[in-house]
Amino acid sequence: MRDSILLTKGFWLGSAYAVRKEAISLETFEMVLAQQPPPKLTYLEGHRWRDTLDNVLAPFIVASNANFKVGFVNEVLFKHREHGNNSCNSTGSLEMILHTAESWQSVHDTAYHLIAHFLTDKNIERRYTNMHDEMELLKFQFTGKKLKAIGKFISVSPFLFKEKKIARQFARLLAITFLGPESFIRWRIQRNSKSDC
């Protein structure tokens, strides 16, 4: 579970975790955050960056407390409500997609710097670099930079293959290249609305 949190791999924590107060060194957390460019840690436009600190807090806690126990409670402790603003499937506009991609890059970059303050690990560095590049690929695709998108797809394809995302990403690359970003978004919204019925 510790590696899953550090590598953001295997499951999504969201805000569904509890931690002992003594496990969080707020001074260190704030100091490392202050060393970064102003974070864009929000995935919703208009929200404050601190609204999504849960995305970087867990990796910080795990990295800064190497001897602490990390575990999973297999009980329903609260209900989760999914709506249009907290669902990854809601694709509203080109601007929202680009904003989300940039926000996730900021989340990943900030999480990595918080981890790297305590741990030096090439696997962690490589994973966060690959996740950053995957979002860069998305930005190139949706801004119509076809050659850069193809080049980025080629460079990040070993990671996509390992993550079992290569087929989906290749299909999206082809679709956006031939349809264009706006037409692809309209097609995807139309397809998703039919499957929701």
Side-chain angles (χ1 to χ4, degrees):
M1 183 172 231
R2 182 177 297 278
D3 285 346
S4 292
I5 292 169
L6 290 173
L7 297 170
T8 65
K9 186 175 185 177
F11 56 85
W12 171 252
L13 280 178
S15 55
Y17 56 88
V19 63
R20 294 183 190 273
K21 189 175 181 179
E22 64 267 15
I24 304 173
S25 169
L26 285 177
E27 289 177 8
T28 306
F29 184 72
E30 290 173 351
M31 178 197 69
V32 176
L33 277 181
Q35 294 170 355
Q36 294 301 111
K40 297 173 184 169
L41 299 182
T42 176
Y43 46 83
L44 298 174
E45 202 163 336
H47 281 226
R48 301 157 302 183
W49 67 267
R50 66 179 178 264
D51 292 335
T52 53
L53 280 177
D54 54 351
N55 293 303
V56 298
L57 188 58
F60 168 79
I61 292 168
V62 170
S64 63
N65 295 288
N67 298 323
F68 277 38
K69 187 176 182 180
V70 178
F72 174 71
V73 177
N74 193 14
E75 291 179 47
V76 176
L77 301 174
F78 65 91
K79 293 182 178 180
H80 171 75
R81 181 175 68 91
E82 185 172 315
H83 54 81
N85 286 335
N86 73 353
S87 169
C88 294
N89 293 327
S90 60
T91 309
S93 67
L94 179 59
E95 292 77 25
M96 184 60 132
I97 290 169
L98 293 172
H99 177 78
T100 301
E102 193 170 305
S103 295
W104 277 114
Q105 279 183 316
S106 186
V107 166
H108 295 147
D109 293 349
T110 303
Y112 174 71
H113 286 288
L114 287 164
I115 292 168
H117 186 77
F118 300 97
L119 301 172
T120 304
D121 185 317
K122 289 292 179 191
N123 291 329
I124 294 173
E125 180 182 5
R126 191 175 317 113
R127 175 141 179 96
Y128 279 87
T129 299
N130 285 329
M131 290 188 302
H132 180 94
D133 287 347
E134 185 179 8
M135 291 297 106
E136 197 68 18
L137 168 63
L138 188 75
K139 285 166 44 178
F140 286 151
Q141 289 174 332
F142 282 99
T143 54
K145 297 177 180 168
K146 295 175 184 178
L147 291 178
K148 286 186 176 186
I150 292 167
K152 185 59 73 176
F153 177 82
I154 291 167
S155 71
V156 81
S157 61
F159 171 72
L160 297 174
F161 183 78
K162 185 177 177 185
E163 295 291 308
K164 298 178 181 164
K165 296 178 180 179
I166 191 119
R168 188 180 74 215
Q169 294 285 4
F170 183 68
R172 184 173 64 197
L173 177 67
L174 287 177
I176 294 173
T177 299
F178 290 109
L179 294 175
E182 295 285 353
S183 295
F184 174 78
I185 293 168
R186 281 193 300 275
W187 169 79
R188 191 165 141 189
I189 290 170
Q190 192 175 43
R191 189 190 72 173
N192 288 345
S193 68
K194 286 179 184 176
S195 65
D196 290 341
C197 297

